[in-house]
Amino acid sequence: MKKTSSLGLKCILLLLSLLLLIGCQKNSSAASDNTTIRVASLKGPTTIGLVNLMDEASREECEHSYEFTMYTQGSDIMAAMAAGDIDIGLVPANVAAVMNNKVEGGVAVIDINTLGVLYCVSGDDSIHSISDLSGKTIYTTGQGSTPEYTIRYLLAQNDVTDCTLEFKSEATEVAAFLAEDPSGVAILPQPFVTAALTQNQELKIAFSLDDEWNKVNTDCRMVTGVTVVRKDFLENHKELVNAFIKDHEASTKKVSEDLQGTAGLVVQQGIIAKEPIALIAIGNCNVCCIHGKELRKTLEGYLEVLHEQDPKSVGGSLPPDEFYYTGK
């Protein structure tokens, strides 16, 4: 009996040693990969959750090597990824689906970085909801991406057919228009909403598009920005991608844990001009890092809504199962 017990104990110890060795090898595989992760993001709320990681990388305090580039258009990130110049991109939700069809080999979405951030801003006191936009000209950004399709969906759901959308290339152009004509109507993302209100006391938030979405759709949430990776990069550097998700999540958590420090970094990166504005705006940006199974559950329903409205909004067809990377 003693020999049997001794043999059983040795087997258990051997098994534990093997499991520990496998775990160590898995944890060290990302550390041993010295590949620089090239990350692109948009100048706006999608980058706010990233700024703490960007700061750590600039001070060489990260375990892995990062290279960050900021763009003003999601289409520019898509082009850079298609050319193989970018590995990971933070883009509008629908652009990710389009990108999966456009980028050779496709992309996979690895997290959601922002939820609803769009607001209607105007000095017109008669506007309180989407229905009140009938007959109005709306100035906004994001043509061909999440803002446009979200706005058109909400207009359709509220039977508003006589509203004109006037697109500008950047949110700062829309804010400049409102500065000249506060009676105009605009749909802007945070943090540009807070900046516009601070600069012009005649302006106010008429309504949140997130609230309007929830009135007509209780099946899914409104998603603004997601993070995607080229599938070939994921296949060759899976542990690095997992490490990025972990770093991105930590960076996002630090937004609320160190609001003052994050606000300073947001100004440093040129996303918001002044720190007092950043301190107010960041809390309204719905910054997050949703990954794993919750990622698919949250994003899939939103893309289905866009596809029903206009298949072109998601590249013609809904993404396949492998589009959603759950970290396995």
Side-chain angles (χ1 to χ4, degrees):
M1 290 290 290
K2 288 183 179 180
K3 288 184 178 180
T4 304
S5 299
S6 177
L7 181 61
L9 181 60
K10 287 181 179 179
C11 288
I12 292 171
L13 291 173
L14 178 60
L15 179 61
L16 289 174
S17 297
L18 286 171
L19 289 173
L20 182 61
L21 178 61
I22 291 170
C24 290
Q25 287 177 338
K26 185 176 181 181
N27 291 332
S28 63
S29 60
S32 62
D33 189 341
N34 296 320
T35 302
T36 296
I37 309 170
R38 300 168 299 175
V39 183
S41 62
L42 288 169
K43 184 180 179 180
T46 60
T47 302
I48 290 176
L50 200 62
V51 294
N52 287 291
L53 177 57
M54 294 167 74
D55 179 56
E56 290 175 7
S58 70
R59 291 187 279 110
E60 299 184 349
E61 294 179 359
C62 294
E63 183 179 356
H64 309 289
S65 176
Y66 288 105
E67 180 182 290
F68 296 96
T69 308
M70 195 154 46
Y71 293 81
T72 59
Q73 299 289 332
S75 57
D76 293 336
I77 294 180
M78 185 164 68
M81 292 191 81
D85 297 330
I86 295 296
D87 305 313
I88 292 175
L90 285 74
V91 298
N94 81 294
V95 170
V98 174
M99 194 183 297
N100 189 57
N101 292 325
K102 298 288 186 182
V103 175
E104 185 176 354
V107 297
V109 61
I110 57 178
D111 69 45
I112 295 170
N113 54 58
T114 39
L115 294 169
V117 298
L118 296 172
Y119 295 81
C120 179
V121 178
S122 178
D124 187 339
D125 292 328
S126 68
I127 300 174
H128 304 285
S129 69
I130 284 285
S131 298
D132 297 326
L133 298 182
S134 179
K136 305 288 186 181
T137 295
I138 312 302
Y139 292 85
T140 188
T141 61
Q143 186 172 22
S145 64
T146 301
E148 177 184 2
Y149 292 112
T150 299
I151 296 166
R152 292 195 186 280
Y153 169 73
L154 292 175
L155 290 172
Q157 291 297 304
N158 286 272
D159 297 320
V160 178
T161 59
D162 58 346
C163 176
T164 302
L165 297 181
E166 185 76 29
F167 290 97
K168 301 294 183 182
S169 60
E170 292 189 41
T172 50
E173 291 182 59
V174 179
F177 159 75
L178 287 176
E180 294 181 6
D181 182 13
S183 65
V185 184
I187 291 178
L188 282 168
Q190 287 285 9
F192 302 103
V193 171
T194 300
L197 296 181
T198 303
Q199 294 165 8
N200 193 329
Q201 301 301 314
E202 295 182 57
L203 296 173
K204 62 178 179 59
I205 294 177
F207 58 84
S208 160
L209 269 68
D210 203 33
D211 291 340
E212 293 296 299
W213 179 281
N214 293 334
K215 289 179 184 178
V216 298
N217 192 320
T218 58
D219 294 330
C220 64
R221 301 175 72 178
M222 190 169 85
V223 179
T224 297
V226 300
T227 307
V228 295
V229 60
R230 290 195 342 266
K231 283 183 181 174
D232 61 338
F233 187 84
L234 176 60
E235 290 168 3
N236 294 321
H237 307 282
K238 188 174 182 179
E239 294 304 325
L240 275 186
V241 173
N242 289 335
F244 169 81
I245 296 171
K246 185 178 179 180
D247 287 346
H248 190 196
E249 184 172 37
S251 180
T252 300
K253 285 182 178 178
K254 201 171 179 180
V255 171
S256 56
E257 293 171 354
D258 183 12
L259 181 59
Q260 189 80 45
T262 300
L265 294 175
V266 167
V267 172
Q268 182 180 313
Q269 291 294 336
I271 301 169
I272 302 176
K274 298 179 181 179
E275 195 167 314
I277 297 175
L279 285 168
I280 298 171
I282 290 172
N284 296 316
C285 285
N286 268 331
V287 174
C288 60
C289 184
I290 300 172
H291 56 89
K293 291 181 180 179
E294 191 181 353
L295 157 65
R296 178 165 187 168
K297 181 180 177 182
T298 305
L299 179 59
E300 193 169 36
Y302 177 73
L303 294 179
E304 286 175 356
V305 168
L306 296 189
H307 179 262
E308 288 176 9
Q309 180 201 359
D310 183 357
K312 290 187 297 183
S313 66
V314 294
S317 60
L318 289 169
D321 292 344
E322 55 268 26
F323 174 69
Y324 302 94
Y325 176 66
T326 59
K328 293 181 180 178

